[in-house]
Amino acid sequence: MQKLIGGGLVVLACMGGALHLTWQRREGLRTLEQLIAALLLIERELGRGEPDTATLLELAAQSVTGPASRFFCSVREGLNRNAEWPLAALWREAGEALALPPAAKTAFDAAGQILGRYDAREQRKGLHAAAQTLQEVFQSAKEEEKQTSRLTLALGSCAAVFLLVLLL
């Protein structure tokens, strides 16, 4: 009976680990999707006028949740504390906490280099280009995640069965 209970716990642990990895990847995709939406929101707001950067960051933080919201809040707070610090440095520093693929990180950092530096038209063009690149990365990561999640769950199941056979 103890072996059966132990085997059941091993199966649950393996499947739980596989599900946790799948959940983490999906959270990363949600964060990337929210960052894209926030950049597009900032681009739209720049098209309506030239609001200050702190206002744009506040709007972006309010429009998203989770890590994306924390990112924009962190940059805005850093800007309020250290007005001398360049926005690009604050953006890059806060972006380290985001789990983005390398291509997405490069495009997202480029958006931080542009924001608040040029006139509204140039900022909008740069933000739009960064959002497009992030959208492409998102689409490819989404397709990859579908395949990877199936593989992760299958490997978790096989590992569980293998350990169960070894234990019994």
Side-chain angles (χ1 to χ4, degrees), residues 65-79:
T65 60
S69 179
R70 287 190 296 274
F71 166 80
F72 288 108
C73 285
S74 173
V75 173
R76 188 190 75 243
E77 289 169 5
L79 199 59

Side-chain angles (χ1 to χ4, degrees), residues 6-166:
L9 290 175
V10 166
V11 169
L12 286 175
C14 288
M15 290 307 296
L19 288 172
H20 181 70
L21 288 173
T22 301
W23 177 80
Q24 280 182 319
R25 282 193 302 270
R26 288 186 181 157
E27 281 298 306
L29 284 175
R30 279 188 212 102
T31 299
L32 185 55
E33 190 173 36
Q34 289 187 351
L35 291 173
I36 294 166
L39 288 181
L40 292 174
L41 172 74
I42 292 172
E43 179 192 358
R44 272 193 314 274
E45 290 300 317
L46 283 169
R48 293 182 182 153
E50 291 198 37
D52 66 344
T53 306
T55 303
L56 290 172
L57 293 170
E58 177 69 30
L59 288 171
Q62 291 174 355
S63 71
V64 293
T65 60
S69 179
R70 287 190 296 274
F71 166 80
F72 288 108
C73 285
S74 173
V75 173
R76 188 190 75 243
E77 289 169 5
L79 199 59
N80 290 340
R81 275 193 316 266
N82 303 324
E84 305 87 39
W85 270 58
L87 177 65
L90 295 168
W91 186 280
R92 192 176 320 106
E93 183 180 316
E96 294 298 321
L98 298 171
L100 296 176
K105 187 169 238 13
T106 302
F108 194 67
D109 284 346
Q113 297 288 327
I114 293 167
L115 194 61
R117 190 178 237 181
Y118 303 105
D119 67 340
R121 184 171 171 239
E122 290 299 315
Q123 289 182 62
R124 289 183 69 213
K125 283 177 25 182
L127 289 170
H128 186 75
Q132 279 185 323
T133 302
L134 290 174
Q135 186 66 36
E136 291 167 6
V137 170
F138 173 77
Q139 291 300 327
S140 66
K142 191 174 179 180
E143 289 300 317
E144 184 180 313
E145 191 275 329
K146 284 180 187 177
Q147 295 171 348
T148 306
S149 64
R150 282 190 218 127
L151 181 62
T152 301
L153 293 172
L155 287 174
S157 300
C158 290
V161 169
F162 182 68
L163 286 173
L164 187 61
V165 168
L166 283 177

